[in-house]
Amino acid sequence: MNAKLISAGLTVALFATPATAYVGPGAGIGVIGTALALIGTVILLLVGFVWYPLKRFLRRNRSVEKNPADREK
């Protein structure tokens, strides 16, 4: 059963003709907008997970250097 199904699928895949499809301007702009939103989300994710904790760490170190008495507590 599986061999027949696989051979039928391969036959259909090998002899399929390419589709000539038209993507309208609305769908094209939608795809571009979605791609840009996805890229922006990834960039903001990296900023959130890397930059903000790093900035907080650097601020904490600067405050310790300014007040060495606070370090002894």
Side-chain angles (χ1 to χ4, degrees):
M1 177 73 180
N2 283 339
K4 288 182 183 180
L5 189 61
I6 290 173
S7 66
L10 286 175
T11 304
V12 170
L14 289 175
F15 293 110
T17 58
T20 53
Y22 170 74
V23 177
I29 290 173
V31 168
I32 291 170
T34 302
L36 289 176
L38 183 64
I39 291 168
T41 302
V42 169
I43 289 170
L44 288 175
L45 179 80
L46 291 174
V47 167
F49 278 114
V50 175
W51 177 245
Y52 287 124
L54 182 65
K55 190 167 80 170
R56 189 171 48 198
F57 175 74
L58 292 174
R59 244 189 228 156
R60 188 178 334 143
N61 282 347
R62 263 190 248 139
S63 68
V64 168
E65 289 173 4
K66 288 180 183 177
N67 300 323
D70 291 340
R71 199 176 359 173
E72 295 174 5
K73 289 182 182 179

